[in-house]
Amino acid sequence: MALYYIAAFTAVRALPSAFDRARSAKKDFDVLRRTGGSDGPRVLFVGGNPGVARFYAAAAQELADATRGDVAVLGLRGFVDGRRVSRGWWGDATRWALNRPRGPFSVDEQIAHVATQIDGESALAESQGRRLVVVGHSAGRCRNSRGTDRRFDTRAIDATLVDFTTGIGGYFALKAQRDAPVICVTPYLENREADPAFRKLRRLVTSPLAPVLAFSLASFSTLLGIVPRVARRRLLRAAGATAGMDRVHEDVTVETMCGFGNVVTMLGLARDEMLALAKPFDGPYPSGLVLFDDP
């Protein structure tokens, strides 16, 4: 098994370099910015897993227009808009495979990453005499209480209320423990041990073979990235990987999730989320936060 793992890791590590135009990227995350004016709040939007910022492009522009403010969508560490990964990522991936998660695979380091970005946006908002609001989300698309994609109740932002329970992005934002209003969209990952399907998934994702599975799937996705986008879209659609997505999100998925780094980061972070998050979030909450439970 050890020889298989070493051979597999060596092979898949070589794959991205053949198609990677920015292997030495300085940052292992992206920040997408949209503006709707200068008299509204600054909004820092923290996405969930996978933390690719461009998943939220349409939602960010709609939110910016509705609030007449500026929206910065923060990608999670280890997720970039394309197939590139930073050189240090490989060391983090190796440590994660040995069950010593660091960098993008560590829940604690993701929280620290969010905290750093909140500090930067907060300082910018203060210098402009504007308010900062943090929005956290769990999955690749945003839904309001009626289930409509990419719609936000801007009155909640104006009142600094929270319309939903927390998502993994919301969990990271709340655990960052910064004194800023936080709006959380959709429930965050919770270990639902009473659900047989969840128990089966958890056993698979947290098993010792999880790194081998993750690297294998990531290798396949990297090879799939060579295929023309039209064919790639059809293959993912046939496999059910883009079921329920609109055309915009389907295209983003086809472009960003057919690369080694993003796939391994998504599966690796999911594994560590399941190990670290066993109970609903119980604080501490930022000052002025009001939660409305809407399952």
Side-chain angles (χ1 to χ4, degrees):
M1 178 60 71
L3 290 175
Y4 171 78
Y5 167 74
I6 293 172
F9 183 77
T10 302
V12 298
R13 177 171 179 171
L15 284 173
S17 61
F19 318 106
D20 199 340
R21 294 188 296 273
R23 178 75 174 275
S24 299
K26 293 182 179 179
K27 294 192 299 185
D28 60 353
F29 62 93
D30 292 305
V31 179
L32 180 145
R33 295 185 182 274
R34 295 290 184 267
T35 184
S38 59
D39 58 342
R42 297 197 66 88
V43 179
L44 179 64
F45 194 105
V46 183
N49 189 5
V52 177
R54 192 154 56 97
F55 271 117
Y56 302 93
Q61 187 61 62
E62 183 176 348
L63 182 56
D65 291 339
T67 60
R68 302 183 306 280
D70 294 320
V71 177
V73 181
L74 173 63
L76 296 182
R77 286 196 58 189
F79 291 99
V80 289
D81 193 358
R83 290 190 293 273
R84 72 184 189 273
V85 295
S86 63
R87 292 189 184 279
W89 183 92
W90 293 108
D92 290 330
T94 302
R95 282 184 284 268
W96 168 73
L98 298 174
N99 204 29
R100 296 197 298 270
R102 284 184 54 183
F105 307 98
S106 165
V107 171
D108 288 339
E109 292 189 37
Q110 288 284 5
I111 293 169
H113 164 60
V114 173
T116 298
Q117 301 302 314
I118 292 176
D119 287 343
E121 291 294 316
S122 180
L124 184 57
E126 184 177 354
S127 69
Q128 297 172 339
R130 300 161 70 185
R131 180 174 49 177
L132 173 67
V133 178
V134 181
V135 178
H137 188 245
S138 180
R141 288 174 295 163
C142 308
R143 296 179 179 275
N144 68 7
S145 57
R146 294 181 178 84
T148 305
D149 287 350
R150 302 191 307 279
R151 300 287 176 181
F152 295 88
D153 184 354
T154 56
R155 292 172 299 176
I157 294 178
D158 293 337
T160 66
L161 300 179
V162 178
D163 260 11
F164 302 88
T165 51
T166 60
I168 187 60
Y171 178 85
F172 290 159
L174 290 172
K175 289 294 285 184
Q177 298 183 21
R178 293 305 192 261
D179 189 14
V182 179
I183 294 175
C184 302
V185 185
T186 80
Y188 83 91
L189 176 65
E190 193 175 326
N191 287 334
R192 303 182 302 276
E193 295 299 334
D195 183 351
F198 182 87
R199 291 200 304 270
K200 183 178 180 180
L201 175 64
R202 186 168 184 259
R203 283 197 300 269
L204 176 65
V205 173
T206 60
S207 74
L209 293 178
V212 175
L213 175 64
F215 291 139
S216 299
L217 290 175
S219 301
F220 175 77
S221 72
T222 302
L223 293 174
L224 189 61
I226 307 172
V227 177
R229 191 169 70 170
V230 173
R232 208 184 314 159
R233 183 188 298 114
R234 291 178 178 175
L235 288 171
L236 290 176
R237 192 180 297 170
T242 57
M245 291 185 181
D246 58 29
R247 183 58 176 265
V248 172
H249 286 92
E250 185 180 53
D251 284 345
V252 175
T253 301
V254 167
E255 293 168 10
T256 63
M257 297 310 293
C258 288
F260 190 86
N262 283 348
V263 174
V264 171
T265 306
M266 177 183 69
L267 296 174
L269 183 56
R271 179 175 184 259
D272 294 316
E273 288 172 10
M274 287 190 174
L275 291 172
L277 306 182
K279 298 183 296 185
F281 182 77
D282 59 358
Y285 297 100
S287 61
L289 179 70
V290 179
L291 290 174
F292 289 93
D293 184 18
D294 185 358

